Amino acid sequence: MGLFKSKKSSPTTAPKAAQEDGSSIPTNNTDGKQRKKKKFPSLLKKSKTQRNDKVASDSAAADKANKPVDDEQQQQQQQQQRDNHKETLEEDDDIGDIPRSISTPSRDGNSGEDLPPPTKDGSSYVGPVQGDEYDQDSIGSPCEAMLKSQRTATQIKNDARVRKLQGIMAAQQPPTIEYIAHYIAALSPVVSPDPSADLPSRALRCLFSLSEHSSHKQQRIEMVRGAYTSVLADIDEEEEKKEGSDDNNESSPSLVPALLSFLKRCPRDSSEQYLTLLVLNNLSIPTQNKRLIGLEFGGAKTLGRLLCEDPGCHLLVIIIVNLTFGDEKLNRDLLTMSGTSSQRVRDEDSRKEQSFLSCGGDVQLIDSLSYALLLASLTTEQLSTLGPIPLTSPEGIPHTPRKLLSLLFSLLERKLGIRYQRNGNTSPANEEDDLPPLSLGSDDCPFPETARWCLSALKNLTRPGKLSSSNLEAAENNSEEMGFLTNKDASAVAAHAILDAGIMPLLLRILKHKESETAESNGLGTNRGAYYSWQSNTAQDAALYTLMHMASVPQMRRVLREDYRGCVDVLVSILNYGKVIGERFKNAAISGGGEEGDEELGRTSLQCLKARMTQSYLILSSEDSSPSKYGSATTLGDHETFTFVDLLSHCLQGRAKEGSGAYSAATFSLKGVLHVIKCIMFEPRNRKLFASSSNGSRLNTLLLKAVARYSVLDKEITEATMDAEAVEHAVVSIYWMTLYALDESVIGFSSPLGRGTFLPSSFGSQYIEAKSVLAKIFTAYVKKDGITPRSQHAANQVLFRVNYLRFDGSVADLAYPGKNLPSESDFDMDGNLISAIKFVSVEDMRTVCASPKEYIFERPISRSQKEGMGSKVFCSDEGTSGSNQFSSPLDAAENIAAEQPGVAIDTVAIANNIAYYADGLDVYYGYVWKWEDGKGDLIERIYTAAATEDQMLAPGERDDPTERSEPYSPPRKGLLGRIKLPTAGVDDNEPFSIFGFKCGAPCGNRGY
């Protein structure tokens, strides 16, 4: 369309300028190469001989007029000059580069008038062009005859080539890969200067036939990676071959460069352009071809530039989508690499050779996609108001995609009043209201397919790797050790590039469109409807995937949460609607009952799952996000507990989900899902929700299975999908769930956190006791190298609490009635795991632990330190230096344990003692503890510390449990003397855990 025409300079005045990316703009040459010297046949000798004779004759006449000489001697000299010139021409036919004009610069012999002065750029006068762009000499010059003769000879040779190639193509039915070189020759500008001619069309149809079917995968690979020899020498005449033409005996370009070069010459919206793009699309599908096409042959850069020139051609974007799917390393190189040199791409040991650019590399793929997406988001009326967008500078230098994007933003604000601000506030100029939701599927948008596929490409580029860092500290450490860009995940580079491009507000506008017309068109009505039931690969579906991938990048979370104020709001809107239809989804999906609209419900459930994962990354992944200010938005709906069990089961099996709300096996990584589950479990309300149903036991079983694979199987089996960071997510989640599945028959009271079942009673065909399996798996885990103090602490707490957990039911009970998946085998330990678990020894394991007491749960407590005690804490009571409040003694115990990383402290035992001494008088662990619920000290009527001490102290060491110490007194003998801060040596009488650390609390012995 006329809006995107390039400013073209005249062939006679345009200089050979350098582009921003280092390439040059050729003049009068479509392939960008310097024009080679031309060799002319001998029939052109006569014209130059005649001119030389004329020069000699004129010179003789002038001499005769000025000085008398002997006529006979003069004739002999002239004859000798003619013979010398003739011998020179016979020795060498090469007359060199054709001059622009060989006419006399001063006078025209016929008219006697002066020629026009030189042009403004200093070039000589050029006569009118007639028939050929290279015919730039004055009319009537001798060179004109030479050029016409040369054109005639070249045309004869090309006609012969065309006839020969046409015959070959007609004879080969169906086409064969052996004739790839002939198809390449047919696409060359030498043989087919007109891209719309019959010969290149035939060649493209042959190439399409060879690459069309998916069964031709190996053939597609050979077509791209093959090296071909030029066939033009075999087609040319024997006499021309003897002359040693420069075109002969050279390797033809590979197929992909030939297709890309031909694509640049194709008329817009022509059948030749369409066929070329179809062939490139087929060739870009095999994984083995992606790097060659996208990077080494410069395909991504060429396609991105062409997309900026023709944003209505969505086939260009589809090829980019193919190239960016599934190869994380290629995506990173496309986003960061300068140039397309294979040496730069492959030489990973030399950063100097790699030449990474912090600005996004030479390809500028994100900028090309962002530019096209912005244009595709405009209506026809807005595009008309916007007017033409210059693709080149006034000097004729093509603008880079980044420059075009900057120009477009300026035009949007100046002509349409649309301003995209970095903080996510997209509003009309001088107004505060946000722009309305954006529908890219309306009839007013002329390029809906371009927008849809641009978003799909962004989804691919931002997709995290299977083992991408999920922790901010780990991600930053990797960047510091290896360099920001050299070791950065492609998802992190793409996420930064999208923010730099400025299209984040546009993505949020797209996600605000609910597609309410879907529900109405299906007769479901708005009350039952399928809002957010976006189908796969729609604009909203791809935009939500992109946002989810960006939120998985640790460095992006704070920016998205705080700088883009509409980001969390959009997610909450989707999640709230999911809760409205949650019961319907639960009935349809979990109970196996079917009803009209189940397919739409499944799609809505998938979009809600992605929104929940994105929100969890943003809000619950770090302690600085203040999740409490978001209220119930971080709490799951009942149906979501099933959704995450289903998701984790598919990821553990590496399995795609079929049917309603389907997704592929590559959609979600196992590490990413484990991280999301840990984020969700950070919210206590979600732990209680899982524990209140059998989905808690299902989730714990799947998490334990993930830990078991990492702990007892060989590293080669699990390293592709799991690393230490991924398993830490699972270990911490299990640890958090232990307090919500305590066996009341063992602890002696009903836990206020719930009565959930932790695990089934046994695993495997031999019905191995689940308690023993749990202990062995975590024993093997704490012995692994590379685990962090946080994960070691969590694993130790699980081991401390094993005897107090509830194990009930069978693995078969975990399968959902009426559903094939998740199946019983998904929850059970397979034969390899059971065999490996049996080899874990726990004979020497004697851990110490404490039974939890009732008052350590959900009762707020504060701690403070008396002035003069030499500590730094937190109260406001008279005579204290400050106080700090906790939601429960368990929470306070966790805080104490966090201050001693690497020490195996039983936090239940610490919490028991905090509750016992919470009378505002005694000092424990250097603090005075006091209940904050206004109920006072009721602990002595419930239990005493003596019950705990009895398990470890000799009778002579026991104190009267009712005796109180004076204020500011040291800890009580025998009890607190063993629980003080570990600054001095270890008491000889203090019990030890199997890990070599003191328990830190009065405990009893137990074994497995």
Side-chain angles (χ1 to χ4, degrees):
M1 54 186 289
L3 294 176
F4 311 103
K5 293 184 178 179
S6 173
K7 294 181 179 180
K8 297 182 180 179
S9 56
S10 171
T12 62
T13 61
K16 184 175 292 186
Q19 296 186 43
E20 293 182 19
D21 56 9
S23 62
S24 61
I25 303 174
T27 58
N28 298 331
N29 198 344
T30 58
D31 58 4
K33 298 180 180 178
Q34 293 289 338
R35 191 184 307 156
K36 298 178 181 179
K37 292 185 177 182
K38 309 294 182 181
K39 292 184 179 294
F40 296 86
S42 57
L43 62 89
L44 296 181
K45 296 177 185 178
K46 181 177 180 181
S47 61
K48 188 168 185 179
T49 303
Q50 289 173 344
R51 288 188 282 112
N52 290 327
D53 290 344
K54 185 178 185 302
V55 171
S57 175
D58 292 342
S59 177
D63 290 342
K64 183 175 181 181
N66 297 323
K67 182 179 179 181
V69 294
D70 183 67
D71 292 342
E72 183 176 355
Q73 183 179 1
Q74 181 180 0
Q75 291 176 0
Q76 291 176 357
Q77 292 176 351
Q78 293 174 352
Q79 183 62 39
Q80 183 64 35
Q81 291 175 355
R82 287 193 295 270
D83 293 339
N84 291 340
H85 285 296
K86 184 175 181 180
E87 290 172 0
T88 300
L89 291 174
E90 290 175 350
E91 290 174 359
D92 187 7
D93 292 339
D94 189 357
I95 65 174
D97 289 330
I98 303 172
R100 296 183 70 84
S101 178
I102 59 174
S103 300
T104 173
S106 58
R107 297 273 182 181
D108 185 289
N110 296 329
S111 64
E113 297 178 355
D114 291 338
L115 292 175
T119 58
K120 293 182 179 180
D121 62 351
S123 60
S124 302
Y125 171 76
V126 179
V129 178
Q130 296 188 2
D132 190 281
E133 61 176 341
Y134 297 119
D135 187 5
Q136 297 176 346
D137 295 277
S138 300
I139 299 176
S141 68
C143 191
E144 182 180 6
M146 292 189 294
L147 289 172
K148 288 182 178 180
S149 300
Q150 174 66 8
R151 288 198 300 272
T152 302
T154 302
Q155 187 62 43
I156 292 173
K157 182 167 66 174
N158 282 340
D159 289 345
R161 290 171 172 174
V162 170
R163 287 193 300 271
K164 184 70 173 179
L165 290 171
Q166 286 177 336
I168 292 173
M169 293 180 196
Q172 295 299 325
Q173 294 297 334
T176 61
I177 197 171
E178 288 78 10
Y179 285 88
I180 291 289
H182 295 77
Y183 307 145
I184 294 175
L187 298 177
S188 67
V190 176
V191 176
S192 302
D194 179 11
S196 300
D198 179 66
L199 180 62
S201 297
R202 289 191 181 187
L204 290 171
R205 287 193 292 271
C206 292
L207 291 170
F208 177 74
S209 178
L210 289 172
S211 63
E212 179 180 9
H213 299 291
S214 58
S215 59
H216 296 168
K217 177 181 177 180
Q218 188 58 38
Q219 190 161 278
R220 291 172 177 173
I221 296 173
E222 293 175 1
M223 291 173 67
V224 171
R225 306 181 76 88
Y228 307 102
T229 304
S230 175
V231 297
L232 296 180
D234 298 332
I235 298 175
D236 291 344
E237 299 293 335
E238 183 66 21
E239 181 179 350
E240 293 176 341
K241 289 194 293 181
K242 290 181 180 180
E243 292 180 357
S245 172
D246 291 336
D247 291 335
N248 297 339
N249 301 321
E250 289 185 353
S251 295
S252 294
S254 298
L255 176 59
V256 172
L259 289 169
L260 293 173
S261 175
F262 183 80
L263 182 62
K264 295 177 184 178
R265 301 190 294 120
C266 287
R268 186 177 297 180
D269 298 329
S270 64
S271 59
E272 290 76 23
Q273 181 195 43
Y274 182 72
L275 269 176
T276 306
L277 291 172
L278 287 179
V279 174
L280 284 170
N281 176 72
N282 294 339
L283 298 178
S284 65
I285 295 175
T287 303
Q288 296 88 335
N289 291 350
K290 295 181 188 296
R291 177 168 289 273
L292 279 173
I293 296 176
L295 197 60
E296 302 209 22
F297 293 147
K301 179 178 178 179
T302 299
L303 294 170
R305 299 305 196 266
L306 292 175
L307 178 62
C308 291
E309 297 175 7
D310 186 9
C313 185
H314 67 275
L315 279 176
L316 289 165
V317 200
I318 293 178
I319 301 172
I320 294 176
V321 171
N322 286 341
L323 294 176
T324 56
F325 178 77
D327 192 337
E328 182 192 4
K329 186 177 178 181
L330 172 60
N331 289 349
R332 186 197 64 187
D333 291 343
L334 287 174
L335 295 170
T336 61
M337 192 69 71
S338 174
T340 58
S341 168
S342 59
Q343 175 65 23
R344 287 178 177 177
V345 173
R346 294 172 179 170
D347 187 4
E348 298 182 358
D349 295 330
S350 173
R351 291 183 198 161
K352 293 182 180 179
E353 289 298 325
Q354 284 185 307
S355 183
F356 284 100
L357 299 181
S358 61
C359 63
D362 182 54
V363 180
Q364 298 183 11
L365 193 55
I366 294 289
D367 299 283
S368 299
L369 295 169
S370 301
Y371 175 80
L373 178 60
L374 273 172
L375 285 174
S377 68
L378 302 177
T379 64
T380 304
E381 182 180 356
Q382 288 174 324
L383 287 171
S384 178
T385 304
L386 194 66
I389 301 175
L391 299 177
T392 63
S393 67
E395 294 77 19
I397 302 175
H399 288 316
T400 63
R402 183 168 293 113
K403 179 63 175 177
L404 288 173
L405 190 60
S406 177
L407 290 173
L408 180 55
F409 275 124
S410 299
L411 291 173
L412 288 175
E413 182 172 356
R414 188 173 72 249
K415 295 189 175 183
L416 299 179
I418 300 176
R419 180 174 64 253
Y420 287 90
Q421 299 177 351
R422 186 180 182 278
N423 65 356
N425 179 21
T426 307
S427 62
N430 301 320
E431 294 184 15
E432 297 181 357
D433 296 334
D434 289 343
L435 287 174
L438 177 62
S439 173
L440 297 176
S442 64
D443 296 336
D444 292 337
C445 292
F447 308 135
E449 290 299 299
T450 298
R452 182 166 71 93
W453 290 109
C454 281
L455 289 164
S456 295
L458 294 176
K459 175 187 73 173
N460 289 347
L461 289 168
T462 55
R463 185 190 304 274
K466 292 181 179 180
L467 299 177
S468 296
S469 296
S470 53
N471 178 272
L472 179 59
E473 183 179 357
E476 291 178 345
N477 288 341
N478 288 339
S479 299
E480 291 175 0
E481 292 174 4
M482 302 298 294
F484 178 79
L485 289 171
T486 54
N487 195 54
K488 183 70 65 175
D489 291 327
S491 57
V493 179
H496 281 92
I498 288 175
L499 292 187
D500 292 341
I503 61 168
M504 192 64 215
L506 178 61
L507 297 184
L508 298 180
R509 285 191 61 204
I510 293 171
L511 289 174
K512 288 181 180 180
H513 182 61
K514 303 177 182 180
E515 285 192 351
S516 58
E517 62 271 14
T518 303
E520 295 171 358
S521 63
N522 288 313
L524 298 178
T526 55
N527 292 330
R528 301 184 54 200
Y531 290 155
Y532 306 107
S533 63
W534 303 319
Q535 295 183 356
S536 177
N537 290 324
T538 58
Q540 294 94 328
D541 174 74
L544 186 53
Y545 269 122
T546 301
L547 181 58
M548 181 182 73
H549 295 161
M550 293 177 67
S552 72
V553 178
Q555 298 91 333
M556 290 286 102
R557 293 167 191 157
R558 181 187 290 272
V559 177
L560 293 175
R561 186 175 64 243
E562 298 179 1
D563 293 351
Y564 292 89
R565 60 181 174 83
C567 187
V568 175
D569 295 339
V570 167
L571 299 172
V572 170
S573 176
I574 298 173
L575 292 172
N576 286 341
Y577 182 76
K579 291 180 180 180
V580 171
I581 66 168
E583 193 63 30
R584 292 178 54 221
F585 170 76
K586 184 176 180 180
N587 294 335
I590 301 178
S591 302
E595 61 173 292
E596 185 181 3
D598 285 354
E599 182 177 351
E600 288 185 341
L601 283 173
R603 292 200 304 265
T604 304
S605 175
L606 176 59
Q607 304 305 336
C608 290
L609 170 63
K610 294 189 296 184
R612 177 64 68 186
M613 294 177 70
T614 308
Q615 187 213 49
S616 300
Y617 284 136
L618 296 179
I619 300 177
L620 299 173
S621 61
S622 60
E623 296 179 358
D624 64 348
S625 59
S626 302
S628 59
K629 73 179 183 180
Y630 297 99
S632 62
T634 58
T635 306
L636 299 180
D638 289 342
H639 68 286
E640 291 181 271
T641 59
F642 162 78
T643 302
F644 279 101
V645 169
D646 187 57
L647 174 64
L648 183 55
S649 68
H650 285 297
C651 288
L652 277 171
Q653 301 299 325
R655 181 177 62 211
K657 182 181 179 181
E658 305 294 339
S660 177
Y663 46 80
S664 72
T667 300
F668 304 101
S669 68
L670 176 59
K671 181 176 181 178
V673 171
L674 291 173
H675 182 211
V676 167
I677 290 174
K678 190 197 80 169
C679 293
I680 289 173
M681 292 304 176
F682 182 77
E683 170 57 66
R685 288 173 293 188
N686 292 332
R687 303 176 208 167
K688 182 175 283 190
L689 181 64
F690 267 102
S692 64
S693 69
S694 58
N695 284 329
S697 179
R698 292 184 177 101
L699 182 67
N700 294 336
T701 303
L702 295 174
L703 292 171
L704 181 63
K705 195 171 181 178
V707 178
R709 288 182 179 178
Y710 180 83
S711 303
V712 303
L713 295 182
D714 293 337
K715 182 179 179 181
E716 292 75 12
I717 300 176
T718 61
E719 63 181 356
T721 57
M722 297 181 67
D723 58 9
E725 190 181 14
V727 182
E728 180 178 327
H729 299 322
V731 170
V732 172
S733 298
I734 292 175
Y735 153 57
W736 281 337
M737 288 296 292
T738 53
L739 292 176
Y740 294 81
L742 297 173
D743 191 341
E744 63 181 35
S745 65
V746 177
I747 64 176
F749 62 93
S750 179
S751 171
L753 299 183
R755 300 177 54 192
T757 299
F758 190 70
L759 291 172
S761 58
S762 63
F763 288 109
S765 58
Q766 300 177 4
Y767 300 101
I768 301 176
E769 187 181 22
K771 182 187 296 186
S772 175
V773 170
L774 176 64
K776 289 188 174 186
I777 289 174
F778 274 83
T779 299
Y781 174 74
V782 296
K783 296 178 181 179
K784 298 284 288 186
D785 295 331
I787 64 175
T788 65
R790 177 183 176 87
S791 59
Q792 188 177 49
H793 169 75
N796 287 337
Q797 300 312 304
V798 175
L799 289 171
F800 283 137
R801 300 169 188 177
V802 166
N803 279 343
Y804 302 104
L805 300 176
R806 184 184 179 194
F807 301 88
D808 190 23
S810 66
V811 173
D813 297 334
L814 300 180
Y816 291 98
K819 289 184 63 67
N820 295 328
L821 296 173
S823 64
E824 177 182 347
S825 62
D826 290 344
F827 298 105
D828 205 356
M829 301 288 175
D830 57 50
N832 292 334
L833 279 176
I834 291 295
S835 299
I837 291 170
K838 286 181 178 180
F839 282 101
V840 179
S841 175
V842 293
E843 292 181 359
D844 58 343
M845 185 170 68
R846 288 292 184 271
T847 62
V848 290
C849 64
S851 174
K853 301 302 178 181
E854 182 176 1
Y855 271 76
I856 68 174
F857 305 100
E858 297 185 335
R859 190 176 181 190
I861 196 169
S862 65
R863 73 182 186 186
S864 61
Q865 183 162 27
K866 297 295 184 179
E867 294 178 354
M869 296 283 296
S871 187
K872 44 182 179 181
V873 182
F874 319 87
C875 206
S876 58
D877 290 349
E878 183 179 357
T880 61
S881 59
S883 80
N884 192 18
Q885 295 187 1
F886 300 93
S887 61
S888 68
L890 267 174
D891 188 20
E894 289 293 343
N895 183 271
I896 291 175
E899 295 175 354
Q900 304 175 68
V903 179
I905 299 178
D906 185 353
T907 55
V908 170
I910 298 290
N912 286 344
N913 287 283
I914 290 175
Y916 179 72
Y917 287 100
D919 55 7
L921 299 176
D922 289 318
V923 178
Y924 176 64
Y925 250 97
Y927 302 108
V928 175
W929 303 87
K930 185 176 181 180
W931 296 112
E932 291 294 323
D933 58 2
K935 297 181 180 179
D937 182 16
L938 305 177
I939 297 299
E940 290 181 338
R941 295 200 297 268
I942 306 299
Y943 71 91
T944 68
T948 305
E949 293 179 78
D950 284 344
Q951 302 179 25
M952 60 172 290
L953 301 179
E957 295 180 312
R958 297 174 189 160
D959 292 329
D960 181 359
T962 62
E963 179 184 356
R964 292 190 176 277
S965 60
E966 295 297 324
Y968 317 117
S969 65
R972 297 175 182 176
K973 180 182 177 182
L975 175 62
L976 299 180
R978 290 169 172 74
I979 312 176
K980 58 187 176 182
L981 289 171
T983 56
V986 179
D987 194 322
D988 293 336
N989 295 324
E990 183 174 64
F992 282 77
S993 75
I994 61 169
F995 313 107
F997 304 112
K998 64 179 182 179
C999 171
C1003 308
N1005 296 330
R1006 66 178 174 84
Y1008 299 114

